[in-house]
Amino acid sequence: MRYLTFTAPNDERPRLGALIAEDRVVSLGRGDLPQDMLSFIRAGADTWALAAQIARQTQSVWPLSEVHLLAPLSNPPSIRDAYAFEQHVRTANQNRGREVPAEWYEFPVFYFTNPTTVFGPGDVIQIPAYTQAMDYELEVAAIIGKPGRDITPEQAVEHIFGFTIMNDWSARDIQRKEMKVGLGPAKGKDFATSLGPVIVTPDELAAQATGRPGVFNLAMRARVNGQQLSQGNWGDIHYSFGEIIARASQGVTLQPGDVIGSGTVGTGCLLEQTKAEGPWLRSGDVVELEVEGVGVLKNKVV
């Protein structure tokens, strides 16, 4: 299934829905189903199965072009973002004049970002007044569906509700200073994270599975003002989502709705493409992140 949150024409109430046949939206707004995405995820597998049945049987649909999509999950309990694509890690370290730290190859690392500053498709992203180096980051993210602690990589797929596109917006000048101090990133990241346009359940992507837990052979692209700047593949990830989730759950219980980002795919940001020198995003730029099989996440920065 492809789940989303939307508003219908002439009605500003957020609704839980499903995307069917690529261009039709079904409302899942029934009394026996939760009415928001986080509650829906927390409700568990029986509720998900009922929603899938309703989506297949409902005749009342809206064309996708007539509804307004919101962030599919606007209030996650937490957002962790990993650093799992080797090409990106290598380039980022080269920009700092060093090799990839040996510790990076020991286990997947991640940081926490702000779960209260989530934006959705079509939202306008404000460039913070304190930065002159606004950047996009092309990522995918897993949404946890079943709680778990000390999960193994092989078990991890059982805990994933679905996947979405993630834009980990970055203030590179601030991030650079924070990382020199040895703590962070913090203000370089916490002003915005975009998610969307939908949450795709793993079974929808099964034909492109690589055999590694939570990894699929799917193209990833980024465009700024219609010009393609980034191109990579989910399958190139060094640490699988299984490994990332296993690490994140060591000694900690992951909760339904937790968001876990992949980190930036190789070439997936201006930092890599400009050797950390810019030019950076400017007011009015339109950024589109595309992941094959998931969709396009589009935002304008001002």
Side-chain angles (χ1 to χ4, degrees):
M1 294 297 297
R2 300 171 184 271
Y3 293 108
L4 48 82
T5 301
F6 74 103
T7 58
N10 303 315
D11 187 347
E12 295 185 356
R13 294 175 301 163
R15 301 172 183 238
L16 178 68
L19 181 64
I20 59 175
E22 300 300 329
D23 61 355
R24 291 184 293 162
V25 174
V26 173
S27 175
L28 299 177
R30 280 183 31 168
D32 49 354
L33 287 178
Q35 298 303 294
D36 69 276
M37 188 67 73
L38 182 56
S39 297
F40 177 68
I41 294 171
R42 287 172 170 168
D46 289 345
T47 298
W48 308 341
L50 175 60
Q53 180 180 356
I54 291 171
R56 288 191 294 266
Q57 295 176 349
T58 300
Q59 299 299 313
S60 177
V61 299
W62 286 276
L64 179 60
S65 60
E66 294 184 8
V67 305
H68 175 65
L69 297 187
L70 306 174
L73 177 63
S74 61
N75 55 339
S78 71
I79 303 177
R80 296 169 173 86
D81 195 15
Y83 197 37
F85 282 92
E86 185 177 18
Q87 181 181 351
H88 173 69
V89 175
R90 186 184 304 114
T91 304
N93 278 278
Q94 287 174 348
N95 290 337
R96 302 184 186 116
R98 67 186 193 188
E99 298 297 321
V100 177
E103 290 82 359
W104 185 82
Y105 294 98
E106 294 182 13
F107 49 79
V109 296
F110 60 87
Y111 76 97
F112 284 89
T113 192
N114 192 344
T116 70
T117 56
V118 171
F119 293 84
D123 284 345
V124 173
I125 310 299
Q126 185 170 355
I127 301 173
Y130 54 75
T131 183
Q132 301 299 316
M134 179 77 160
D135 201 359
Y136 68 87
E137 297 200 47
L138 172 57
E139 308 189 17
V140 290
I143 313 297
I144 298 298
K146 184 173 74 171
R149 181 186 180 99
D150 295 324
I151 302 166
T152 68
E154 294 72 25
Q155 294 170 333
V157 291
E158 303 170 11
H159 294 262
I160 297 174
F161 171 72
F163 297 97
T164 193
I165 303 172
M166 177 170 168
N167 192 335
D168 173 35
W169 301 96
S170 299
R172 295 301 194 185
D173 45 358
I174 304 303
Q175 180 188 2
R176 185 182 303 116
K177 293 179 179 180
E178 290 173 335
M179 302 310 288
K180 284 183 178 179
V181 173
L183 188 64
K187 294 305 293 182
K189 297 280 191 176
D190 76 342
F191 57 91
T193 301
S194 292
L195 300 175
V198 299
I199 299 175
V200 179
T201 54
D203 59 291
E204 293 278 339
L205 307 177
Q208 301 300 323
T210 65
R212 301 170 64 206
V215 179
F216 303 89
N217 180 27
L218 295 170
M220 302 173 66
R221 305 178 182 89
R223 295 179 291 275
V224 177
N225 300 328
Q227 179 183 359
Q228 183 170 302
L229 299 182
S230 305
Q231 183 166 355
N233 192 289
W234 186 341
D236 293 335
I237 198 167
H238 181 84
Y239 288 109
S240 70
F241 269 105
E243 293 168 307
I244 297 168
I245 289 170
R247 178 66 176 179
S249 71
Q250 288 180 341
V252 173
T253 300
L254 300 183
Q255 300 294 338
D258 282 347
V259 175
I260 301 181
S262 63
T264 307
V265 69
T267 79
C269 60
L270 297 176
L271 177 82
E272 287 187 66
Q273 297 169 44
T274 69
K275 298 183 179 179
E277 296 178 357
W280 307 101
L281 294 174
R282 296 175 294 182
S283 182
D285 284 346
V286 176
V287 179
E288 296 175 277
L289 305 187
E290 180 178 4
V291 176
E292 184 182 3
V294 182
V296 177
L297 176 60
K298 181 178 180 179
N299 296 104
K300 181 178 181 179
V301 298
V302 300

